[in-house]
Amino acid sequence: MESVKKGLKQVINKISHTSLMTVICALVAEIIFFSLMSPHFLSMKNFLNIGLYAAIVGCVSCSVTLVNISGNIDLSVGSQIAVVGMVAAVVSRAGYGWEITCLAALAAGVACGAINGFFITVLKLNAFITTIATMQSLSGLAYLISQGQSLPISDPKFIFIGRGYIAGVPTSLIIMLVCYVIFHIISKYTVFGRSVYMIGGNAQSSFLAGIKVNKVRFELYLLNGLMCGVAGVLLSAQTGAGMPNAAATYNMTALSAVILGGAALTGGKGTIFGTFLGSCVLAILNNGMTLLSVGSYWQYIIIGLVLLAAVSIDAVKGGSLKRKI
Amino acid sequence: MAKTYKKADHIVSDEIVMEAKGICKSFPGVKALSDVDITIHKGEVVALLGENGAGKSTLIKVLSGIYKQDSGTVSMEGKEMHFEIPSDATNAGIGVIHQELNYVPTISIAENIFMGSIPKKWGFVDYKTMYRDAEEILNLVGLKLDPRMNIGECSVAQKQLIEIAKVMSNNAKVLILDEPTSALNDIEVGYLFQLIHKAASEGVSVFYISHKLDELFEVADRVVVVRDGCVTGQIDMKTATKDMLISKMVGRELSDMYPKEGGIAGNVALRVEGLTTDSLNNISFEARNGEIFGIYGLMGSGHQAIGAALYGQDIIHNGKIYVNDKELNPKTPLDAINAGLAYVPAERKTEGLVLNQSVAVNTMVGYYCKNKKRLLNTKLENKETQKWVEKFGIKTPTVDTIVESLSGGNQQKVILSRCLELAPDVLILNEPTRGIDVGAKSEIYKILDQLCQDGKCVIIITSEMPELLAMSDQIMVMSDGRTSGFVSREEATQELVVQYAIGG
């Protein structure tokens, strides 16, 4: 009993000293608030529902976290997901099975990542500028594939990825959780993950220490493209169609989750677990407000305010008021 | 050259310009200053001496209004001062030149000088006046530069002199110079000393902070030694000796600053033939196992670029590099590491360490890269790091401590550990002891000497003459991107080296 208490104390101590404190408090507050306000909120079914819809952004947030930790940014994830969704729809409609469709979709994602990676690591363009450009071009490409139309997918096996359940748990949610576990392992236990943190902390020092900085960066964008592939598959399988305009807001949602989770846009800081909590906060907020029939305009305003509040709390905790500039 | 410069006798008056009494300042967990008293007279040059972390910088920051003291008073000419923001101190006549220079690299020299008080005419910038005044200010320190030039194009030394000119032009009564010479060569240092004496003879009081003991004898009237946040000695420079200062500073006798025993010269470990890059022109040399090969040059002579070229940072246009008779064509630092080189860069904080990561992470990063590991091995990491921590006496609470919180000397030892973890054949150190205190310096020299005795090849690229002369077995002097001379240990004198360095 004593040791359990001690262990618990240690865990609490550890949590309260990390930047995760804010996001955990937000999560707890949210859950309490919505369960008091809505009788439908606190049920297994609703939580699985939340997981189902959080899965798409959740997947892509994993890799966006690593990109941000490395001190880079990718603003084109929404457009990449749109392209992937369209490719999946076209391939599936051409009569190929779900395996080929998924492979084609993932390949499309990796190709998008390679385009970003090429400009950022070979021509060494600024990541912000590069991905603003690819965001627009890839979005245009997604519209061009179907002349702006939605392309319905009818393959039930493919649809299962998005809408099916395995042992009562949505497939999408399982895929997302597996992704988080894998990315957690990458970030904590591999040399690649360590290199990502080092590069974000100081790219020049990392380079001189022997890290192949550009290779790691390129691989990060490939990985990010791959995860956009996964998210694109989930999106088109859930909606049952390739829709060029469906993923427009995913950029900012993914970035918001990463920031809520304590990652610094300047690099070197952040955790996969933090991002997981961050995406939970956003998904629950979304679900709760919908249950309370909050209008969608208000939802945007509130999500923005929550993000501002969380970041402000962390900044003040970090002593921003005591700093002169 | 510093040595030929004779200290001018200026008169120090009895009038106290600035006085600090009972200054205490604590940071979470550390008492940085306890009950410090310090005074400075009109026209006096007071050197502040102390190891890194002794409290010098904190004291300076209290005197210049960057930190607020917990207790104690600071008074100027008998009036008690309450500095709320740094510009209060500037207005009171205190000018500070910080170790890290403050400038905006993308705007002109003149705009940098007048930043915050740009001359105006009818609300618009008065460029004519600004450039004219800037030129006058530059003349103060003998710089012949076009004030319209971007300050980013100036050398480090020029920037430092511009900064000094800027502060002096504000009619400061008290000048505080925090390690002003760390980026200057001997000629520029001599020039700076002349400036300081000129200022002092005009009645300006100067606080001078430096790790270089030799300098203090040339520039200071009095030295105040700080250790562990307390003043441990106030010595008139006329009666001071080097040993006395060192023992006051570290609290122990440093029998030998440069513990050179030397190794036995062996095979040629590194051979460079006709190396040519953007800043190097046809450089050839051989460095042997069991020897320290010193490379010296004045600022801008290209000696710093040798490290960058050997380590795959610069593009090599021509020439060959052989490590133990195997040809090396370094495209990235990793190529050089794989060939058996290890490199300690000049800038510890921006090139050497990832400051927000732990001691262990920084120590082991090279190991993983060289051995092409894919998975981390925390157990090995802790064991190896612990080994280096004990071997080099790195002062850190644990191996998981963030490296940013370590002192400069300990940070340097972490970089050394990382290099030696690679088990290199040739160790290259660029400015191995820049900005670290005497105690740590001596320890680093001991490590280098030990490596030599173990038969390793060590190359030091340095701008510090005493270090070069005391530690090197062979010396290559550079000037204008070329080799201007080779000097062996026996024939090496300061005069000879400088003669080569200025291109004779």
Side-chain angles (χ1 to χ4, degrees):
Chain A
M1 199 57 206
E2 267 302 299
S3 65
V4 172
K5 249 187 190 169
K6 216 171 157 190
L8 201 66
K9 225 177 188 175
Q10 262 176 1
V11 169
I12 290 172
N13 227 330
K14 208 172 165 188
I15 290 172
S16 61
H17 274 98
T18 61
S19 50
L20 291 185
M21 195 57 194
T22 321
V23 65
I24 290 173
C25 288
L27 194 59
V28 172
E30 229 176 44
I31 292 173
I32 293 173
F33 177 78
F34 286 126
S35 29
L36 292 178
M37 297 298 287
S38 165
H40 308 294
F41 178 76
L42 213 55
S43 69
M44 195 61 187
K45 189 161 170 270
N46 188 42
F47 270 83
L48 290 179
N49 213 7
I50 294 173
L52 182 66
Y53 288 108
I56 300 168
V57 182
C59 278
V60 78
S61 302
C62 297
S63 55
V64 169
T65 309
L66 290 192
V67 171
N68 281 352
I69 291 173
S70 80
N72 288 286
I73 197 163
D74 191 345
L75 297 173
S76 66
V77 289
S79 305
Q80 293 185 51
I81 293 172
V83 169
V84 168
M86 296 313 289
V87 168
V90 168
V91 174
S92 181
R93 284 161 66 89
Y96 292 100
W98 68 274
E99 303 97 330
I100 301 289
T101 308
C102 287
L103 279 180
L106 296 183
V110 173
C112 292
I115 294 170
N116 279 331
F118 171 78
F119 285 106
I120 292 165
T121 65
V122 180
L123 298 186
K124 303 185 185 66
L125 302 189
N126 177 290
F128 195 87
I129 294 166
T130 306
T131 55
I132 281 183
T134 54
M135 168 174 74
Q136 305 184 53
S137 295
L138 290 175
S139 172
L141 182 65
Y143 281 103
L144 196 65
I145 289 174
S146 66
Q147 298 300 324
Q149 304 295 310
S150 293
L151 299 178
I153 300 173
S154 51
D155 180 358
K157 282 183 182 154
F158 185 74
I159 300 294
F160 179 82
I161 301 172
R163 297 192 196 152
Y165 286 76
I166 295 173
V169 184
T171 327
S172 309
L173 180 57
I174 294 174
I175 292 173
M176 181 191 87
L177 291 176
V178 169
C179 287
Y180 270 101
V181 172
I182 292 172
F183 272 82
H184 179 74
I185 292 170
I186 290 177
S187 74
K188 285 267 179 216
Y189 303 105
T190 68
V191 176
F192 175 77
R194 170 75 61 83
S195 306
V196 169
Y197 279 91
M198 303 280 291
I199 290 171
N202 185 338
Q204 177 69 7
S205 299
S206 308
F207 178 63
L208 284 178
I211 294 175
K212 288 180 175 167
V213 174
N214 278 330
K215 184 163 169 264
V216 172
R217 278 188 185 144
F218 191 78
E219 285 169 355
L220 267 176
Y221 278 98
L222 287 188
L223 196 60
N224 202 32
L226 182 72
M227 292 313 290
C228 287
V230 174
V233 166
L234 292 183
L235 175 68
S236 49
Q238 279 189 10
T239 53
M243 298 192 290
N245 58 347
T249 59
Y250 288 1
N251 267 336
M252 291 307 143
T253 317
L255 267 183
S256 307
V258 172
I259 294 165
L260 271 177
L265 286 185
T266 45
K269 248 172 40 185
T271 56
I272 295 294
F273 185 59
T275 299
F276 177 71
L277 295 176
S279 26
C280 287
V281 168
L282 291 177
I284 290 173
L285 191 63
N286 216 312
N287 173 272
M289 288 193 297
T290 310
L291 285 180
L292 298 180
S293 347
V294 176
S296 67
Y297 303 147
W298 275 106
Q299 291 202 11
Y300 281 121
I301 293 175
I302 291 169
I303 289 175
L305 290 179
V306 166
L307 187 62
L308 267 182
V311 176
S312 305
I313 290 168
D314 279 341
V316 171
K317 252 174 39 183
S320 70
L321 290 181
K322 287 180 207 139
R323 278 202 308 272
K324 290 190 176 128
I325 51 169
Chain B
M1 203 187 98
K3 206 158 190 190
T4 54
Y5 174 68
K6 286 276 184 309
K7 185 172 161 183
D9 266 329
H10 56 261
I11 298 143
V12 177
S13 80
D14 290 340
E15 190 186 329
I16 291 176
V17 174
M18 191 178 195
E19 186 170 28
K21 265 192 180 152
I23 302 285
C24 293
K25 174 78 192 170
S26 296
F27 296 107
V30 197
K31 198 156 175 93
L33 293 175
S34 58
D35 215 12
V36 170
D37 295 338
I38 191 166
T39 55
I40 190 163
H41 298 89
K42 198 172 174 187
E44 189 181 27
V45 181
V46 174
L48 271 177
L49 187 65
E51 292 192 282
N52 276 355
K56 303 181 307 266
S57 298
T58 313
L59 181 58
I60 289 308
K61 284 180 176 159
V62 168
L63 293 183
S64 57
I66 296 172
Y67 290 159
K68 189 131 190 59
Q69 68 271 29
D70 300 336
S71 63
T73 58
V74 177
S75 45
M76 291 270 298
E77 293 167 330
K79 262 205 320 242
E80 196 174 315
M81 307 304 284
H82 297 280
F83 300 138
E84 291 299 333
I85 51 173
S87 63
D88 289 349
T90 314
N91 294 337
I94 298 171
V96 193
I97 293 139
H98 291 286
Q99 206 173 344
E100 270 100 28
L101 294 175
N102 299 308
Y103 60 90
V104 181
T106 49
I107 62 176
S108 73
I109 295 175
E111 283 163 309
N112 266 289
I113 291 176
F114 291 107
M115 210 189 301
S117 59
I118 299 266
K120 285 189 204 117
K121 207 178 197 178
W122 301 317
F124 294 100
V125 176
D126 183 357
Y127 282 103
K128 219 171 125 194
T129 314
M130 183 169 78
Y131 289 135
R132 196 190 56 222
D133 292 356
E135 227 157 298
E136 272 172 28
I137 289 170
L138 291 178
N139 279 336
L140 274 182
V141 289
L143 278 176
K144 300 264 176 291
L145 292 172
D146 182 2
R148 291 164 188 83
M149 189 170 119
N150 269 0
I151 205 168
E153 294 165 26
C154 299
S155 71
V156 179
Q158 285 171 336
K159 283 178 203 150
Q160 189 112 29
L161 289 172
I162 292 170
E163 182 87 9
I164 291 168
K166 178 175 149 189
V167 172
M168 281 182 147
S169 70
N170 281 342
N171 296 321
K173 289 176 202 145
V174 179
L175 266 184
I176 300 174
L177 296 112
D178 193 355
E179 294 203 40
T181 58
S182 55
L184 302 188
N185 68 37
D186 288 349
I187 295 166
E188 290 155 340
V189 168
Y191 205 83
L192 174 67
F193 288 173
Q194 280 185 33
L195 279 176
I196 291 175
H197 282 291
K198 189 162 154 259
S201 56
E202 284 164 8
V204 178
S205 314
V206 181
F207 279 114
Y208 187 89
I209 298 160
S210 176
H211 284 303
K212 298 177 188 166
L213 285 178
D214 296 325
E215 287 179 4
L216 304 185
F217 289 94
E218 290 171 46
V219 73
D221 299 309
R222 184 158 58 94
V223 60
V224 174
V225 187
V226 185
R227 187 172 82 227
D228 302 329
C230 302
V231 172
T232 54
Q234 303 227 21
I235 306 162
D236 192 318
M237 223 52 210
K238 289 187 194 98
T239 61
T241 66
K242 216 165 155 178
D243 290 337
M244 187 164 120
L245 293 180
I246 290 176
S247 70
K248 281 257 190 274
M249 191 169 144
V250 297
R252 60 181 184 271
E253 296 287 337
L254 268 186
S255 54
D256 196 352
M257 179 72 201
Y258 303 103
K260 173 92 179 166
E261 289 178 27
I264 299 150
N267 297 331
V268 173
L270 178 73
R271 194 163 88 243
V272 174
E273 288 173 4
L275 186 65
T276 305
T277 69
D278 283 345
S279 43
L280 296 176
N281 194 341
N282 199 13
I283 301 287
S284 304
F285 64 90
E286 289 180 345
R288 289 175 182 280
N289 284 323
E291 282 193 343
I292 294 182
F293 187 83
I295 300 174
Y296 179 84
L298 300 179
M299 204 56 69
S301 68
H303 64 307
Q304 307 268 5
I306 290 187
L310 291 178
Y311 216 56
Q313 269 182 288
D314 288 351
I315 292 166
I316 295 172
H317 301 315
N318 227 328
K320 291 202 158 86
I321 301 166
Y322 297 93
V323 181
N324 286 331
D325 288 329
K326 264 215 287 264
E327 191 173 344
L328 162 67
N329 185 10
K331 294 249 189 302
T332 64
L334 189 58
D335 294 338
I337 289 172
N338 287 331
L341 298 188
Y343 178 57
V344 178
E347 299 290 337
R348 192 160 49 241
K349 288 180 180 169
T350 55
E351 302 177 327
L353 294 166
V354 180
L355 287 172
N356 69 353
Q357 294 288 339
S358 72
V359 174
V361 169
N362 273 290
T363 305
M364 296 302 286
V365 50
Y367 162 85
Y368 287 123
C369 293
K370 185 173 188 179
N371 294 294
K372 298 193 174 59
K373 299 277 181 207
R374 294 204 166 273
L375 295 177
L376 298 176
N377 183 344
T378 324
K379 227 176 171 178
L380 180 84
E381 237 170 64
N382 287 336
K383 201 185 97 198
E384 286 293 304
T385 311
Q386 196 60 44
K387 184 182 90 189
W388 294 114
V389 165
E390 280 162 22
K391 192 165 175 190
F392 294 160
I394 300 173
K395 287 193 199 86
T396 171
T398 68
V399 296
D400 294 323
T401 305
I402 300 302
V403 81
E404 190 167 20
S405 63
L406 268 53
S407 74
N410 286 311
Q411 288 181 347
Q412 192 74 353
K413 287 181 192 169
V414 172
I415 304 180
L416 259 179
S417 311
R418 181 177 81 212
C419 288
L420 296 178
E421 185 65 44
L422 301 169
D425 299 321
V426 180
L427 178 64
I428 306 165
L429 302 101
N430 198 345
E431 303 293 348
T433 60
R434 176 184 283 179
I436 66 177
D437 60 69
V438 177
K441 261 186 184 180
S442 177
E443 285 173 49
I444 284 184
Y445 294 141
K446 239 177 247 161
I447 294 169
L448 296 185
D449 189 50
Q450 186 60 46
L451 285 170
C452 241
Q453 289 175 38
D454 296 344
K456 295 256 191 231
C457 172
V458 179
I459 295 175
I460 54 174
I461 300 166
T462 178
S463 310
E464 280 193 38
M465 185 67 82
E467 171 176 294
L468 177 86
L469 295 178
M471 295 307 292
S472 317
D473 295 294
Q474 296 290 334
I475 295 170
M476 178 170 83
V477 188
M478 292 188 54
S479 156
D480 200 20
R482 298 161 194 272
T483 308
S484 57
F486 286 96
V487 185
S488 73
R489 185 174 179 79
E490 292 74 35
E491 58 189 13
T493 61
Q494 199 165 342
E495 285 75 18
L496 187 63
V497 170
V498 168
Q499 203 183 358
Y500 280 129
I502 56 178

